[in-house]
Amino acid sequence: MGPKDKMRSYNVGSNEEIEAMAAIYGEEWCVIDDCAKIFCIRISDDIDDPKWTLCLQVMLPNEYPGTAPPIYQLNAPWLKGQERADLSNSLEEIYIQNIGESILYLWVEKIRDVLIQKSQMTEPGPNVKKKTEEEDVECEDDLVLACQPENQVKTLDFDVSENRTEIEELPPIDHGIPITDRRSTFQAHLAPVVCPKQVKMVLAKLYENKKIASATHNIYAYRIYCEDKQTFLQDCEDDGETAAGGRLLHLMEILNVRDVMVVVSRWYGGVLLGPDRFKHINNCARNILVEKNYTNSPEESSKALGKNKKVRKDKKRSEH
């Protein structure tokens, strides 16, 4: 059964379409936020020997596919100007021609056709990391890097001075409810922060706790809104969990949170969780952000897609 036949075997509802996309594209399909129906798919001209790669990020509104199109974002460092406009026009034309129908498969294959044409007409594209880790970790770094939009938000080191007055008081730290799966435990910690110095203070305070200090990974991300510059100061850290920091920061961007830091501790239990570990990390973070009223509704969060963007190279490490 080919991909098109698989697609026809499902109904046109968005839930069935999501199942179909996951079945057809496997590990190329990435769930960012299941509740808000936000997904990424990594598309390349050739699965075995990719030369050109692009990440399509979509958010499916409740009205999709009936009366509203997916909210989408095209992410690739090489996609600019007229080339981006032409591809966007092609996707929107597909939607207009298929109003009321599921179109994600059509979008993905249209993008793949464009990449194939590009690979045949132009010089080799950016190098793409080949599979070197276990199957469940393959190309995780590349996926996150592809999903990071182009640079508009500044990523600054702790030592860079800010125009705003830094508040040196240690902010309160809240701890979320742990999630345990196959002997691995995940727990989120949250603190309001308004300057990089507070980020360092929160980390230092958390590491005073012997249990947190002994965690296999302490992944974190923060976003601070700079009123005077009308931009965000943000950064993230994997702490050895490949690409987890970038995914955590991406979730915070989608939820459009500000002036907050989230740390997720993972205690490894001896069983590899594969992609499920990213789901647990993001779920922990999302739960505590919702609990502490940092999040907007999914509709408001969708407006943040495409805004407050940055590019960041995450450290390439394997799962421990």
Side-chain angles (χ1 to χ4, degrees), residues 18 29-41 55-59 73 75 143-144 146-149 246-255 278-283 285-286 305:
I18 291 165
W29 179 260
C30 168
V31 178
I32 293 180
D33 189 326
D34 206 12
C35 295
K37 291 188 177 180
I38 301 172
F39 309 94
C40 271
I41 180 165
C55 180
L56 170 67
Q57 179 178 302
V58 294
M59 176 175 180
Q73 183 172 299
N75 297 321
L143 176 60
V144 172
C147 288
Q148 295 296 335
R247 286 173 178 257
L248 177 57
L249 180 58
H250 196 44
L251 172 70
M252 294 172 71
E253 289 177 325
I254 289 168
L255 295 176
F278 298 114
K279 178 179 70 176
H280 297 321
I281 291 166
N282 274 15
N283 281 344
R286 190 176 190 278
L305 290 176

Side-chain angles (χ1 to χ4, degrees), residues 26-252:
E27 293 185 0
E28 291 180 299
W29 179 260
C30 168
V31 178
I32 293 180
D33 189 326
D34 206 12
C35 295
K37 291 188 177 180
I38 301 172
F39 309 94
C40 271
I41 180 165
R42 183 171 177 267
I43 309 164
S44 56
D45 58 320
D46 187 308
I47 294 175
D48 297 322
D49 184 23
K51 296 182 179 65
W52 296 96
T53 301
L54 180 149
C55 180
L56 170 67
Q57 179 178 302
V58 294
M59 176 175 180
L60 304 181
N62 293 332
E63 298 80 11
Y64 173 81
T67 58
I71 298 165
Y72 72 98
Q73 183 172 299
L74 300 168
N75 297 321
W78 51 266
L79 186 64
K80 299 177 182 178
Q82 190 60 45
E83 199 168 21
R84 175 182 288 275
D86 290 344
L87 184 52
S88 295
N89 290 338
S90 296
L91 299 186
E92 287 158 19
E93 187 174 318
I94 288 173
Y95 169 71
I96 292 170
Q97 292 172 349
N98 298 273
I99 290 177
E101 299 179 16
S102 300
I103 59 168
L104 292 186
Y105 175 79
L106 297 176
W107 275 12
V108 171
E109 291 308 308
K110 175 61 181 179
I111 293 170
R112 196 183 306 279
D113 287 344
V114 169
L115 296 181
I116 290 171
Q117 291 176 20
K118 187 174 179 65
S119 69
Q120 293 171 346
M121 295 170 57
T122 63
E123 69 282 355
N127 292 331
V128 177
K129 176 187 171 190
K130 294 186 177 179
K131 301 176 186 177
T132 56
E133 310 289 351
E134 58 176 303
E135 274 305 301
D136 63 79
V137 190
E138 67 174 21
C139 296
E140 292 292 356
D141 261 349
D142 290 327
L143 176 60
V144 172
L145 287 175
C147 288
Q148 295 296 335
E150 294 175 13
N151 185 29
Q152 283 188 356
V153 171
K154 300 177 182 177
T155 303
L156 303 179
D157 294 331
F158 287 132
D159 295 334
V160 175
S161 60
E162 296 295 304
N163 290 334
R164 65 193 294 171
T165 302
E166 294 193 352
I167 302 173
E168 298 185 11
E169 181 181 350
L170 175 68
I173 303 173
D174 291 297
H175 307 280
I177 298 171
I179 294 175
T180 300
D181 179 12
R182 285 164 281 179
R183 300 201 301 270
S184 278
T185 299
F186 303 79
Q187 185 178 25
H189 321 281
L190 177 149
V193 293
V194 295
C195 66
K197 187 169 289 187
Q198 284 190 317
V199 173
K200 293 183 73 172
M201 294 170 70
V202 169
L203 288 172
K205 184 64 178 178
L206 287 173
Y207 274 97
E208 289 177 7
N209 182 301
K210 290 183 179 180
K211 182 179 179 182
I212 294 174
S214 68
T216 314
H217 312 287
N218 282 301
I219 304 115
Y220 72 82
Y222 67 88
R223 302 189 80 218
I224 299 169
Y225 186 65
C226 305
E227 290 281 357
D228 54 341
K229 300 175 184 176
Q230 298 285 295
T231 187
F232 280 87
L233 171 65
Q234 61 185 37
D235 203 358
C236 57
E237 171 58 46
D238 297 339
D239 194 31
E241 184 68 289
T242 304
R247 286 173 178 257
L248 177 57
L249 180 58
H250 196 44
L251 172 70
M252 294 172 71

